[in-house]
Amino acid sequence: MGDLTRYLPVELVDAVVEESQVLERRRRLLPSRVGVYFVLALSLFPALGYLRVWDKLTAGLASRNVCRPSEKALRCLRRRLGPAPLKALFEVVAGPLAQPTTPGACYRRWRTVAFDGCSAIKVPDCERNRAWLGKVQARLGWAGYPVMRLMTLCETGTRGLLGAEFGPTNEYETAYARRLLGLVDASMLVLADRGFDADDFLSDTAATGAQFVIRITARRRPAILAVLPDGSYLTRMGTLKLRVIDSTITMTTATGETLCEQYRIATTLLDHRRDPAEALVELYHERWEHESAYYALRHTLQHGLVLRSQDPAGLEQELWAQLTVYQILRTAMADAVESRPGTDPDRASFTIALETARDQLVLAGADGQLAGLDLLVGRIGTAVLKGLLPPRRLRTSARAVKAGRCRYPTKPAELRPRQSRRITALTVTLRSAPACPPEPPKGQREDLRKAATGLRRMGAGNRNRVFHLMAADPERAWRPREVTHALGIQSAASFATQMSQWAAEGLLKKIAYGTYTLADAWKTTLLTDGPAAKLRGL
C-alpha cells in the first residue's frame, strides 16, 4: 500500500489474520494477507469497482506479471475474511496520537477527547441491510437508503480515533458511547454535546476517573447548592456534585452582523480559581473538532457515497477498513507535525495526506521509490508539511444539511448566516446564577411562606425551590399539598406525581404513603453550601 505500509507492515497483517482464524489452509493466488490489503484499498478508492482497485493495487508490479483475478474471486475473498481481521487491525492502530506538548492536545494535565455520533452513513437499499438497519422516515416519506449510526471517541487535538462502535439508528447514542467508556481513563477530559447529559451517563463517565465538560439542555434547571464568585454554581445531577456555567457568546461577523448564543455547561472541575469559567467555555469549543473528523471520514475519504456491501457482515468489514485507513492517515499527519515542534495539528491537510496516499499506492514497488525519501515522516508526511494550511480562522455559518430532500426540518428562526462568515470579534459573557434572598434584620423571624417567596423571587424552578424549602426544615416530613401551599403552586395533583418521580430518581426519600423528606445527599449539601443554610435561620 505504498507509504501506508510503514503503519500496516506485513508482519502485523499476518498476525491479525492468524489471531482472527481466517488464515488460508492452502497458499493460492489470493491469500488472506492480500485480501486485507485489498479491502483497505477499496476504502481509498470508494468510487471504483473491484477490478479497477485491483489494477491500482498492482500497478507498480506490472513487470512481475501479477495475475488479474475475476470479480467473483475477489468477492469470495472478502467473504472468506469477514469483518474480524479488519476490526482487530483497527483496534491495533486506534489510540491517542498527540504528545502531551502538542498544541491543542491537552487542557492542563488532561488529554481532551470527545464523544459524538454520525447518522449519515448510507448503505445499499437491499433486503438484508433493511432487516438489520431498517429505514428512516423523513418528512417527505421514507428515506432513500438505510443509514448506519457510527459512534466514536475522538482525540480533539489530532482528530485521531480511540475507538468506534456502530449499528442501527434505533439505539441511542449514549448506548453506543457507554460501550466505549472502557477506553476513557483518569488522564482524559471528555467533551460532549447536549445528547450526552443524561444523569446515568454522566455518572458512568465520572466513574472512569476522567473529568468532563458537557453541555446540558436549557430545559434542565438544576438546583443551586452554592453560587461561586465567577457566577457559576454547584449542583447535583444524580449522584454527582457538578459545577454549572451559564454563558452567552456574542459574535460579530465581517459583514457587521451580531449573533448571540447561550450555552449551559456542566463539569466536574469544581474549583473556579484553577479552572475559570471563561476558559471552560472556550475549551468546550474543541468538541467541534469531532465534526471535522466526521467530515473527513464521510465526505473526503468516502466522497459521500453509499457503501458497497449488500449484507451486514460486508458492511462491518467495509466500515472497519475505512476507520483503519482514516486512523493511519491521521497517524501519518501527526508524525509530520510532531517533526516540527510547535506546529498545530489543525494545519495538517487531510486531503493532501489522502491524495498522496492514493498516489503512493499506485506507484508502490516502482523504481526510484526510495530516492529522496524522508525516513522520519515518509512521503505522506513530506507532502503534508509542504502544504500546511494557514492558522485556523474564526468563522460561523448556519448548521444545515445541504441536500435537496432532507429528513431534518428547516429552522426559520436560524440566526446564523447561510454562507460562512469571518468572525471579527467574539466575547464570552457569564450569566450569574440567581442569588440567595437577603438575610432578614436581626431578631426578625419569618415563616416558611416568606422563605418560599424569596426563593421564587430568585428565579428558581420548582425543583430548586422545593429542595431548599425542605432543607430549611430538614427533620420535617412533607406532603405534596403542604409544599404546594407553601410555594403557591396551583395544581397539587400533578405536583404529587412530580414528587413521586423525584423520589424514584433518588432526589427525595419516601418515608410513608404520600410523605417525603429530602434525600440524605441533598440534605447534607444544601445545609452546608446552599441558600438553605441562610433560610434555616429565618
Side-chain angles (χ1 to χ4, degrees), residues 9-275:
V10 172
E11 295 79 8
L12 173 61
V13 174
D14 287 345
V16 166
V17 166
E18 185 175 358
E19 291 178 1
S20 302
Q21 299 180 357
V22 293
L23 187 64
E24 68 279 355
R25 296 184 179 180
R26 294 180 296 170
R27 183 56 59 91
R28 304 290 293 272
L29 296 178
L30 294 175
S32 298
R33 175 203 299 170
V34 174
V36 172
Y37 285 120
F38 173 70
V39 174
L40 295 173
L42 290 177
S43 299
L44 282 172
F45 301 97
L48 302 182
Y50 281 7
L51 293 181
R52 291 293 299 145
V53 174
W54 178 266
D55 291 342
K56 289 183 177 295
L57 192 62
T58 58
L61 306 176
S63 59
R64 303 186 186 183
N65 297 323
V66 179
C67 67
R68 191 171 190 260
S70 64
E71 288 190 2
K72 184 179 185 302
L74 294 174
R75 287 197 300 270
C76 293
L77 176 62
R78 284 193 60 190
R79 293 193 184 99
R80 191 178 78 210
L81 282 178
L86 278 304
K87 180 180 180 181
L89 199 60
F90 171 74
E91 291 175 349
V92 171
V93 299
L97 303 178
Q99 300 296 324
T101 56
T102 302
C106 296
Y107 171 76
R108 288 177 54 193
R109 66 176 183 274
W110 298 290
R111 183 186 301 272
T112 56
V113 298
F115 280 111
D116 201 9
C118 175
S119 302
I121 300 177
K122 299 178 182 179
V123 305
D125 188 7
C126 59
E127 183 177 355
R128 283 177 290 183
N129 289 344
R130 289 195 300 269
W132 179 38
L133 300 174
K135 293 192 71 173
V136 177
Q137 188 173 9
R139 288 190 303 134
L140 303 178
W142 294 98
Y145 294 96
V147 294
M148 184 184 300
R149 172 164 289 166
L150 172 65
M151 172 60 60
T152 57
L153 179 63
C154 175
E155 181 185 37
T156 61
T158 61
R159 281 165 269 180
L161 302 180
L162 282 70
E165 291 285 342
F166 52 83
T169 56
N170 56 11
E171 194 169 356
Y172 290 116
E173 288 186 342
T174 51
Y176 289 108
R178 191 170 280 108
R179 301 173 193 169
L180 299 175
L181 285 177
L183 303 174
V184 180
D185 56 38
S187 66
M188 299 179 183
L189 189 150
V190 179
L191 308 175
D193 203 1
R194 288 169 290 190
F196 300 86
D197 66 341
D199 290 350
D200 55 348
F201 183 78
L202 297 180
S203 299
D204 293 342
T205 304
T208 63
Q211 309 294 328
F212 63 75
V213 176
I214 295 180
R215 186 179 179 185
I216 62 177
T217 60
R219 295 188 300 270
R220 299 193 69 168
R221 304 178 66 181
I224 301 173
L225 302 183
V227 179
L228 301 178
D230 61 354
S232 60
Y233 58 92
L234 302 180
T235 186
R236 275 192 176 273
M237 293 184 181
T239 59
L240 291 179
K241 186 176 181 180
L242 302 177
R243 175 183 171 201
V244 177
I245 302 171
D246 285 338
S247 64
T248 300
I249 298 180
T250 305
M251 298 173 287
T252 303
T253 66
T255 57
E257 299 173 276
T258 301
L259 309 173
C260 294
E261 292 192 19
Q262 296 183 354
Y263 285 80
R264 178 170 292 171
I265 296 173
T267 178
T268 51
L269 302 174
L270 306 182
D271 192 343
H272 65 280
R273 299 178 185 86
R274 302 185 66 181
D275 303 292

Side-chain angles (χ1 to χ4, degrees), residues 390-396 420-423:
R392 181 76 62 83
R393 66 188 187 278
L394 295 177
R395 56 187 176 178
T396 184
S420 179
R421 296 284 191 272
R422 183 171 58 88
I423 297 176

